[in-house]
């Protein structure tokens, strides 16, 4: 939620570029605070500049970190945390797009959809207010086509593009069961042939298409002359290149360089994990951090060594077996007898410190994600679209709640 006094409004027109430039300056100025990952550093470079903040964060418990994870801006931490939090809230806030009442979903469309996903579809659909009604919906990376079916009204057409043949078959069967005229097409949307499937009559929609998938959509949809589109981006780090390639002129002119690790920062916010999943996640991370301490000792090299993720079943094995297996995978020398209890306990202590130190990076999650969305929005304005950028639901439903609406006259 925006802080009191923050002017959160839907961004359009000149506001898009003005906010992008403000965010660009903010992210560049403070990149030494948000780029280094506590998981890979025993000591972060910024800690020498802000020792009081570092000591305060390191002194907190794992439970403290968990309680602050989703709203780090509310944390009453030593400076410069509070000042950065206020600025991050101001720069990262946008308003909700206006909602309109949807026609009641017929055909029991929600029966085959998980509850949270259906709520996202309803919220997304309710924000699609265009000057002209759609003739032909194009559900991009559609899965089973739940979004497209929810949007489809009498007199309209629907095409669903999906890579997974099993989802295409399931989606076609669902559309036929609901007696809806929808075409489900098996298509790799990154393949050159995908462009031939779009034309000016299509209204493309994409709810949480990942990385390259939604960027590809805005590029070929604008080239095809589509008069309107709606995109809620997701998974910005799922790209084929080793670093981010901006698409707008302003993005290309920026000095901000983003690695895949940087692009994963917005995705680090979670709101849906259950207790069992959180326990598995914490145990896995604590063990990896403990092994990191061990491998530094074994190699005599004080630097992080990337290790592969192990199946969750490995968490049922002893910590010693876990470490022996990882050491073998990394071709490390035979491990001499160790105080495994002490090493494992050190891993849990590191996890608490890492999670709390991550709260400083957490201040930059929303500003970075908005920067990425504005890069897409500004690209579309350069292609002649009028663009509105706002949210379509609360972050408690999904943190990936930015929606880009674009229309050409």
């Amino acid at each position: 939620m925006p802080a009191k006094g923050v002017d959160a409004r839907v961004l359009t027109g000149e506001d898009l570029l003005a906010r992008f430039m403000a965010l660009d300056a903010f992210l560049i100025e403070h990149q030494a605070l948000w780029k280094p990952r506590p998981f890979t550093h025993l000591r972060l470079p910024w800690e020498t500049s802000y020792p009081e903040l570092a000591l305060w964060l390191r002194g907190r418990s794992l439970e403290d970190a968990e309680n602050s994870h989703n709203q780090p801006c509310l944390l009453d931490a030593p400076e410069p945390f509070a000042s950065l939090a206020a600025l991050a809230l101001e720069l990262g806030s946008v308003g909700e797009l206006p909602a309109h009442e949807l026609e009641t979903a017929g055909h029991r469309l929600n029966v085959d959809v998980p509850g949270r996903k259906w709520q996202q579809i309803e919220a997304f659909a309710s924000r699609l207010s265009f000057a002209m009604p759609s003739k032909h919906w194009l559900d991009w990376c559609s899965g089973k086509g739940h979004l497209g079916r929810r949007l489809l009204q009498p007199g309209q057409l629907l095409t669903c593009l999906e890579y997974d043949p099993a989802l295409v078959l399931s989606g076609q069967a669902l559309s036929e069961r609901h007696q809806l005229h929808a075409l489900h097409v098996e298509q790799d949307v990154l393949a050159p042939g995908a462009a031939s499937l779009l034309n000016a009559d299509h209204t493309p929609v994409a709810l949480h298409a990942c990385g390259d998938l939604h960027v590809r959509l805005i590029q070929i949809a604008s080239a095809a002359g589509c008069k309107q589109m709606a995109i809620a981006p997701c998974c910005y780090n799922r790209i084929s290149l080793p670093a981010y390639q901006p698409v707008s002129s302003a993005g290309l002119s920026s000095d901000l360089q983003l690695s895949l690790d940087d692009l994963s920062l917005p995705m680090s916010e979670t709101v849906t994990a259950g207790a069992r999943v959180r326990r598995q996640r914490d145990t896995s991370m604590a063990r990896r951090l403990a092994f990191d301490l061990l491998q530094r000792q074994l190699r005599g090299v004080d630097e992080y060594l990337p290790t592969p993720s192990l199946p969750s079943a490995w968490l049922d094995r002893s910590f010693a077996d876990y470490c022996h297996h990882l050491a073998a995978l990394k071709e490390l020398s035979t491990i001499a007898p160790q105080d495994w209890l002490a090493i494992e306990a050190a891993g849990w202590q590191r996890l608490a410190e890492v999670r709390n130190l991550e709260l400083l990076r957490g201040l930059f999650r929303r500003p970075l994600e908005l920067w990425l969305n504005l890069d897409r929005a500004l690209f579309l304005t350069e292609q002649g679209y009028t663009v509105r950028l706002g949210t379509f639901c609360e972050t408690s439903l999904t943190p990936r709640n930015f929606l880009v609406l674009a229309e050409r006259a």
Side-chain angles (χ1 to χ4, degrees), residues 154-195:
Q156 297 177 335
L157 300 175
L158 168 63
T159 298
C160 298
L161 302 184
E162 171 55 44
Y163 178 73
D164 186 334
L167 295 178
V168 173
L169 288 174
S170 296
Q172 190 71 61
L174 283 170
S175 291
E176 291 173 2
R177 185 198 307 172
H178 295 309
Q179 299 181 335
L180 297 175
H181 296 290
L183 178 63
H184 292 254
V185 179
E186 182 182 336
Q187 176 65 49
D188 177 0
V189 297
L190 297 179

Side-chain angles (χ1 to χ4, degrees), residues 115-374:
R116 180 176 291 272
K117 185 65 175 179
W118 184 253
Q119 289 177 285
Q120 293 172 14
I121 288 171
E122 287 277 292
F124 182 99
S126 72
R127 310 291 174 164
L128 304 193
S129 56
F130 294 117
M132 296 292 291
S134 176
K135 298 178 181 177
H136 192 155
W137 296 106
L138 185 92
D139 194 347
W140 185 262
C141 302
S142 62
K144 296 180 182 180
H146 298 307
L147 172 62
R149 277 189 295 274
R150 182 64 183 98
L151 293 171
L152 187 60
Q153 296 297 319
Q156 297 177 335
L157 300 175
L158 168 63
T159 298
C160 298
L161 302 184
E162 171 55 44
Y163 178 73
D164 186 334
L167 295 178
V168 173
L169 288 174
S170 296
Q172 190 71 61
L174 283 170
S175 291
E176 291 173 2
R177 185 198 307 172
H178 295 309
Q179 299 181 335
L180 297 175
H181 296 290
L183 178 63
H184 292 254
V185 179
E186 182 182 336
Q187 176 65 49
D188 177 0
V189 297
L190 297 179
S196 66
L197 298 176
L198 275 75
N199 62 56
D201 284 338
H202 284 127
T203 298
V205 292
L207 174 55
H208 296 159
C210 294
D212 283 340
L213 302 178
H214 70 258
V215 173
R216 171 74 166 155
L217 173 58
I218 66 173
Q219 291 170 332
I220 66 175
S222 56
C226 295
K227 294 181 176 58
Q228 53 202 23
M229 68 183 84
I231 300 164
C234 189
C235 299
Y236 309 92
N237 57 325
R238 293 192 179 181
I239 58 176
S240 59
L241 298 175
Y244 183 66
Q245 180 65 33
V247 290
S248 69
S249 296
L252 290 166
S253 299
S254 171
D255 290 330
L256 186 61
Q257 303 294 312
L258 298 172
S259 68
L260 295 182
D261 273 347
D262 298 332
L263 292 171
S264 68
L265 177 58
M267 311 306 299
S268 64
E269 182 177 4
T270 57
V271 297
T272 60
R276 183 181 64 84
V277 172
R278 289 199 301 271
R279 283 196 302 271
Q280 284 188 340
R281 176 201 65 193
D282 291 350
T283 302
S284 176
M285 291 185 68
R287 285 192 167 192
R288 289 179 65 194
L289 288 167
F291 179 79
D292 181 54
L293 294 172
L294 178 62
Q295 65 84 15
R296 291 172 192 257
Q297 172 190 325
L298 294 175
R299 294 195 301 146
V301 178
D302 191 19
E303 63 180 30
Y304 180 73
L305 178 68
T307 56
S309 296
L310 295 177
S312 57
W314 269 89
L315 300 180
D316 296 328
R317 303 193 180 191
S318 71
F319 175 64
D321 284 348
Y322 180 94
C323 289
H324 280 294
H325 184 69
L326 272 184
L329 288 177
K330 303 306 292 186
E331 299 181 346
L332 298 181
S333 58
T334 303
I335 302 177
Q338 302 286 334
D339 185 345
W340 296 112
L341 288 177
I343 297 172
E344 188 171 17
W348 280 101
Q349 177 58 37
R350 269 200 74 192
L351 178 60
E353 294 176 358
V354 163
R355 285 278 175 75
N356 279 289
L357 291 166
E358 282 280 359
L359 295 173
L360 180 59
R361 295 186 78 224
L363 298 179
F364 297 88
R365 284 191 306 241
R366 196 65 168 175
L368 178 57
E369 183 168 12
L370 183 53
W371 186 98
L372 291 164
N373 276 264
L374 284 164

Side-chain angles (χ1 to χ4, degrees), residues 17 39-40 47 83 87 100 106 111 202 208-209 248 255 288 294 308 347 358 372 375 384 399 402 404:
L17 181 58
F39 194 90
T40 61
E47 292 189 65
S83 298
L87 193 50
H100 63 89
V111 170
H202 284 127
H208 296 159
S248 69
D255 290 330
R288 289 179 65 194
L294 178 62
E358 282 280 359
L372 291 164
D375 182 41
F402 283 125
V404 178

Side-chain angles (χ1 to χ4, degrees), residues 91-105:
L91 293 175
S93 293
V94 299
E96 292 184 13
L97 288 157
H100 63 89
E101 189 172 348
L102 295 173
E103 295 286 339
T104 302

Side-chain angles (χ1 to χ4, degrees), residues 41-67:
H41 291 74
L42 291 184
R43 187 69 52 178
L44 292 159
W46 62 260
E47 292 189 65
T48 55
S49 300
Y50 305 109
E52 183 184 358
L53 174 59
L55 185 64
W56 189 86
L57 289 170
R58 285 181 177 274
R60 285 162 47 89
S61 69
L62 183 58
E63 184 180 8
D64 290 335
E66 189 72 25
N67 291 337

